[in-house]
């Protein structure tokens, strides 16, 4: 058969000897594939052409090394400003993928790398899905993270393929799954190594084998018992997200349960979702995240070895995270008795996340106890993560500089001390930067990369690149007490403790901010950070010369240091706070508590600690969990005054 491949800009078409058409998506001018209007229009033309000359089979694959398809074009979605445009956007994919699902010849999606959103909806519209067994292969429908719904067939076809419980779990959380789990669930028909993927795809698409159907129970749950599944899903979502803040997960449940996943059957609901303030702000957060990722570009620096000094909670967890991300890590402290708990903690955490025993063993082999500090001589990155004491840190940094490689990156994880005060003992003071992680390291995506006056710009850029290398978001900040994140949290937590001193219960205070949209209340946050840390950071928390809150001093003096000791403002009998009833929240309490955070964020932008308001919003969202649906504290403030 003859195929006119030259008539397409973003697609390449080839026909093999068996009459199978290979459709390769290679979006022009982009490093990743997305389903823009132009790409979708060309796909419709391809289907037109194949209607006239049906192939023996059609295989979709990517021409990008980055992955299969990242999803819809977010830029196009971000300009949806009328109900008509929203419906048109949904109809484009729904109708095209329904057409693809109905073609008479077998179709297959060869998924290598990320396959997300509209990319997975395209794959679901194919008869077969073949996953390439590589760590970068991830599949998911993360539209809920943007405040929208998978309207191009995902809500219909994913529950049909893997059952509604697993499908709703993916759609309501935005979780992605790897190739092996995709095969286990029935999303992928097979999972093969890259070296045989093309042959395996050609064989599978011609085999005419029936797809594996979900078990009878799953088919019942996707049919007569939908109501029960939907009710259970709503209860689970309600534990994590309030409908007034995040309407999309509730809309996904309703569209699946009531409309067979057809978003066009509920146009008013779709309009309310696609043009909501939540969707607009979550798209803003997406672009803020992309901007942070960009700070890791512009240098060839790649670390292979990391040396961490300090095996406490922060240092040990930093070392463990670097080992998880594939780096060889030496962990130094004053004897094995101090290092061993960090190794045990890492093993306990990674054993729950890493199912493959061999992979877990490799991770732990990369995390090397080093009480004598020999690893500092060979490391590409050296991170000081001991307790917050100026003299101790200065002495350690000077000793590390004497043995490090000249080109190695030297960083401190200080949370409250200025870089200028630490670097005076160094022969090359411009080489010291801050690389400030947040607790818990494995969950908090943001890392502040701190530069002082006169810091070497190349070293700062290498710090950004290292943070991206370990899959974290770098935020460039200037050296100042508390930098950005701790500096805005201090006044916020202080105001919360003042409210405790005035007689409000911790439960009432936390409930006020949970209702505002925070993922955790400020009192529970203090318990998680540690009351000793709050006391140590007293000058930045309460201001120079100010008296710390009485409720903090009393608990600190009693040894109630928070979650890590099982008792702080709350008791932690099972690792979770034992809270009593919150009671009625006084009017205006949330506004009072958040006001100092907003004001401090504005001040830090004015002072140039962070470059602009957008980066401040990004830092506070990803560093504190500040309600993402608001688009960040300064965006929230602008909208309040609009």
């Amino acid at each position: 058969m003859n195929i006119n491949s030259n008539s397409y800009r973003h697609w390449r078409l080839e026909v093999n000897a068996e009459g199978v058409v290979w459709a390769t998506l290679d979006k022009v001018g982009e490093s990743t594939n997305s389903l823009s209007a132009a790409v979708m229009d060309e796909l419709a033309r391809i289907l037109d052409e194949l209607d006239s000359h049906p192939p023996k089979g059609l295989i979709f694959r990517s021409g990008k090394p980055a992955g299969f398809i990242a999803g819809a074009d977010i830029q196009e979605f971000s300009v949806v400003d009328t109900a008509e445009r929203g419906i048109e956007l949904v109809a484009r994919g729904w109708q095209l993928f329904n057409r693809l699902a109905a073609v008479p010849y077998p179709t297959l999606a060869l998924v290598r790398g990320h396959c997300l959103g509209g990319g997975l909806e395209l794959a679901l519209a194919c008869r077969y899905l073949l996953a390439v067994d590589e760590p970068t292969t991830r599949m998911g429908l993360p539209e809920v993270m943007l405040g929208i719904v998978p309207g191009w067939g995902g809500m219909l076809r994913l529950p049909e393929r893997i059952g509604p419980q697993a499908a709703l779990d993916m759609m309501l959380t935005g979780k992605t799954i790897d190739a092996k789990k995709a095969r286990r669930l029935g999303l992928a028909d097979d999972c093969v190594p890259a070296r045989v993927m093309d042959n395996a795809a050609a064989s599978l698409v011609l085999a005419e084998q029936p797809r594996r159907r979900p078990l009878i129970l799953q088919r019942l749950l996707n049919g007569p018992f939908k109501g029960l599944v939907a009710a259970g899903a709503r209860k689970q979502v309600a534990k994590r997200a309030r409908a007034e803040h995040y309407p999309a997960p509730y809309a996904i449940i309703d569209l699946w349960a009531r409309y067979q996943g057809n978003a066009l059957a509920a146009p008013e609901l779709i309009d309310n979702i696609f043009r909501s303030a939540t969707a607009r702000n979550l798209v803003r957060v997406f672009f803020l995240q992309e901007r942070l990722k960009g700070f890791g570009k512009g240098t060839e620096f790649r670390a292979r070895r990391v040396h961490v000094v300090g095996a406490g909670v922060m240092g040990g967890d930093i070392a463990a995270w670097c080992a998880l991300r594939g780096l060889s890590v030496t962990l130094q402290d004053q004897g094995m008795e101090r290092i061993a708990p960090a190794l045990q903690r890492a093993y306990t955490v990674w054993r729950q996340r890493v199912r493959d025993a061999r992979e877990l063993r490799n991770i732990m082999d990369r995390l090397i106890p080093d009480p004598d500090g020999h690893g500092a001589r060979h490391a590409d990155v050296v991170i000081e993560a001991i307790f917050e004491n100026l003299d101790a840190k200065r002495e350690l940094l000077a000793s590390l500089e004497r043995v490090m490689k000249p080109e190695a990156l030297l960083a401190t994880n200080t949370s409250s001390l200025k870089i200028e005060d630490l670097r005076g003992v160094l022969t090359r003071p411009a080489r010291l930067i801050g690389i400030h992680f947040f607790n818990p390291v494995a969950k908090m995506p943001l890392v502040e990369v701190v530069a002082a006056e006169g810091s070497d710009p190349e070293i700062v850029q290498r710090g950004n690149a290292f943070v991206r290398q370990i899959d974290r978001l770098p935020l460039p900040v200037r050296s100042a007490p508390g930098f950005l994140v701790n500096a805005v949290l201090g006044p916020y937590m202080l105001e919360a403790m003042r409210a405790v001193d005035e007689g409000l219960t911790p439960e009432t205070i936390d409930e006020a901010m949970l209702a505002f949209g925070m993922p955790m209340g400020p009192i529970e946050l203090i318990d998680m950070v540690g009351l000793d840390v709050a006391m140590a950071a007293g000058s930045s928390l309460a201001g120079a010369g100010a008296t710390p809150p009485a409720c903090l001093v009393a608990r600190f003096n009693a040894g109630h240091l928070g979650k890590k000791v099982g008792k702080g403002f709350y008791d932690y009998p099972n690792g979770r706070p034992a809270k009593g009833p919150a009671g009625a929240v006084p009017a205006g309490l949330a506004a009072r508590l958040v006001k100092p955070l907003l004001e401090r964020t504005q001040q830090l932008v004015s002072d140039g600690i962070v470059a602009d308001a957008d980066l401040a919003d990004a830092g506070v969202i990803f560093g504190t969990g500040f309600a993402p649906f608001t688009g960040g504290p300064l965006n929230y403030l602008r909208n309040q005054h609009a």
Side-chain angles (χ1 to χ4, degrees):
M1 62 181 295
N2 293 321
I3 291 291
N4 185 11
S5 188
N6 294 329
S7 65
Y8 305 107
R9 187 161 183 259
H10 302 290
W11 294 87
R12 294 194 308 271
L13 301 185
E14 304 163 65
V15 187
N16 69 10
E18 288 78 28
V20 173
V21 172
W22 292 78
T24 303
L25 177 58
D26 195 355
K27 192 177 180 187
V28 173
E30 303 288 346
S31 59
T32 59
N33 286 325
S34 63
L35 296 174
S36 62
V39 169
M40 299 284 271
D41 288 345
E42 288 189 0
L43 176 55
R45 286 170 47 209
I46 289 170
L47 296 182
D48 289 342
E49 188 172 354
L50 298 182
D51 281 347
S52 302
H53 304 90
K56 294 293 185 182
L58 171 62
I59 298 175
F60 292 99
R61 65 180 171 186
S62 169
K64 306 289 188 188
F68 185 63
I69 301 173
D73 188 322
I74 305 300
Q75 293 283 2
E76 291 181 2
F77 163 69
S78 66
V79 298
V80 171
D81 56 358
T82 65
E84 291 74 20
R85 283 190 175 182
I87 297 301
E88 179 185 343
L89 181 68
V90 173
R92 178 198 303 161
W94 173 261
Q95 293 167 0
L96 182 60
F97 291 166
N98 280 348
R99 180 183 174 190
L100 173 61
V103 297
Y105 45 85
T107 54
L108 179 144
L110 175 56
V111 173
R112 184 182 193 185
H114 54 246
C115 175
L116 305 172
L120 183 56
E121 289 178 298
L122 185 152
L124 285 165
C126 294
R127 187 178 303 179
Y128 304 112
L129 191 160
L130 182 66
V132 178
D133 187 12
E134 292 179 336
T136 55
T137 297
R138 307 289 303 183
M139 284 164 263
L141 294 174
E143 285 87 348
V144 72
M145 309 297 288
L146 296 175
I148 58 175
V149 302
W152 290 355
M155 293 182 290
L156 167 67
R157 296 189 179 94
L158 188 62
E160 287 180 343
R161 189 158 303 190
I162 66 173
Q165 292 166 312
L168 286 172
D169 182 54
M170 289 177 65
M171 292 189 290
L172 298 178
T173 63
K175 285 181 190 173
T176 61
I177 60 174
D178 61 20
K180 285 188 173 71
K181 186 168 184 180
R183 179 175 61 183
R184 190 165 65 249
L185 289 176
L187 173 55
D189 296 274
D190 204 353
C191 166
V192 299
R195 66 180 183 276
V196 300
M197 61 182 183
D198 289 347
N199 287 338
S203 297
L204 179 57
V205 81
L206 293 173
E208 293 288 340
Q209 67 184 45
R211 294 205 80 259
R212 188 178 82 191
R213 298 184 70 195
L215 298 175
I216 182 65
L217 175 60
Q218 295 295 342
R219 299 203 297 274
L220 289 171
L221 293 175
N222 201 39
F225 300 143
K226 268 188 175 181
L228 293 175
V229 178
R234 287 189 192 95
K235 287 181 181 178
Q236 291 301 313
V237 170
K239 294 177 182 178
R240 302 189 307 268
R242 300 182 186 225
E244 64 269 26
H245 298 153
Y246 298 99
Y250 297 91
I252 289 172
I253 297 169
D254 287 344
L255 288 167
W256 166 72
R258 298 172 58 194
Y259 301 104
Q260 300 295 314
N262 180 3
L264 296 178
E268 290 186 6
L269 178 58
I270 286 303
D271 184 40
N272 290 338
I273 291 293
F274 274 68
R275 293 200 296 140
S276 67
T278 293
R280 183 174 64 251
N281 287 331
L282 290 179
V283 169
R284 167 182 163 77
V285 172
F286 170 83
F287 286 120
L288 292 177
Q289 178 175 267
E290 292 302 298
R291 185 177 174 193
L292 294 182
K293 289 178 180 178
F295 287 117
K297 299 175 181 176
T299 177
E300 299 299 317
F301 178 78
R302 294 285 292 179
R304 293 175 56 240
R305 296 185 178 92
V306 176
H307 184 71
V308 179
V309 186
V313 171
M314 285 302 297
D317 287 1
I318 292 168
W321 180 259
C322 291
L324 178 73
R325 303 312 302 170
L327 296 169
S328 179
V329 186
T330 44
L331 179 59
Q332 178 183 348
D333 210 315
Q334 298 173 339
M336 277 302 300
E337 68 279 2
R338 291 177 179 252
I339 300 174
L343 301 180
Q344 182 58 50
R345 188 168 61 251
Y347 178 77
T348 301
V349 172
W350 300 147
R351 184 177 58 184
Q352 296 171 356
R353 291 183 53 166
V354 181
R355 300 298 183 187
D356 186 285
R358 182 182 301 175
E359 184 182 353
L360 177 61
R361 185 167 61 250
N362 289 339
I363 293 167
M364 296 307 299
D365 285 347
R366 292 194 294 266
L367 183 55
I368 305 163
D370 184 18
D372 297 321
H374 297 304
R377 300 178 185 275
H378 310 289
D380 304 304
V381 177
V382 176
I383 302 174
E384 170 277 308
I386 65 171
F387 56 96
E388 292 288 276
N389 179 279
L390 178 62
D391 291 336
K393 285 180 181 287
R394 284 164 61 94
E395 181 181 349
L396 173 60
L397 290 168
S399 68
L400 289 169
E401 187 188 36
R402 287 193 291 269
V403 301
M404 288 171 55
K405 296 188 297 185
E407 70 276 15
L409 189 65
L410 178 60
T412 172
N413 185 56
T414 182
S415 59
S416 58
L417 301 174
K418 294 182 66 176
I419 304 300
E420 292 87 342
D421 296 335
L422 291 168
R423 69 183 183 179
V425 296
L426 302 178
T427 58
R428 289 174 51 200
R431 80 184 299 189
L432 180 67
I433 62 171
I435 297 184
H436 180 219
F437 292 80
F438 297 95
N439 187 31
V441 172
K443 292 185 178 179
M444 298 301 291
L446 189 83
V447 176
E448 291 174 317
V449 179
V450 189
E453 191 70 32
S455 289
D456 185 334
E458 172 60 24
I459 296 295
V460 175
Q461 188 57 18
R462 289 182 183 182
N464 290 327
F466 168 68
V467 171
R468 282 303 300 141
Q469 183 182 346
I470 59 171
D471 197 28
R472 285 292 174 255
L473 300 173
L475 175 71
V477 294
R478 273 182 46 200
S479 177
F483 315 127
L484 171 70
V485 172
N486 284 351
V488 304
L489 280 179
Y492 169 63
M493 295 191 293
L494 174 62
E495 192 64 28
M497 289 186 286
R498 283 177 176 157
V500 173
D501 282 351
E502 293 167 10
L504 289 176
T505 66
E507 289 87 349
T508 300
I509 294 163
D510 280 351
E511 175 56 30
M513 296 316 298
L514 290 171
F516 176 84
M518 296 295 200
M520 178 183 292
I523 301 299
E524 186 179 346
L525 177 62
I526 294 165
D527 270 357
M528 190 179 79
V529 169
L531 278 67
D532 52 339
V533 175
M535 285 292 290
S539 60
S540 59
L541 183 65
T547 303
C551 60
L552 173 63
V553 174
R555 287 170 173 81
F556 175 80
N557 289 338
H560 302 164
L561 304 184
K563 182 179 179 180
K564 59 190 169 187
V565 299
K567 191 175 184 66
F569 283 91
Y570 298 112
D571 291 342
Y572 292 81
N574 302 305
R576 296 177 177 273
K579 294 187 178 184
V585 175
L589 178 58
R592 169 195 166 180
L593 295 174
V594 80
K595 182 181 178 183
L597 184 153
L598 302 175
E599 292 176 344
R600 186 68 175 132
T601 307
Q602 282 183 308
Q603 186 62 51
L604 291 168
V605 174
S606 298
D607 293 345
I609 304 305
V610 64
D612 55 54
D614 282 354
L615 287 181
D617 278 346
V620 179
I621 289 170
F622 292 112
T624 75
F626 187 93
F629 76 91
T630 66
L634 299 184
N635 187 66
Y636 167 78
L637 201 55
R638 283 194 300 271
N639 290 335
Q640 291 294 106
H641 293 158

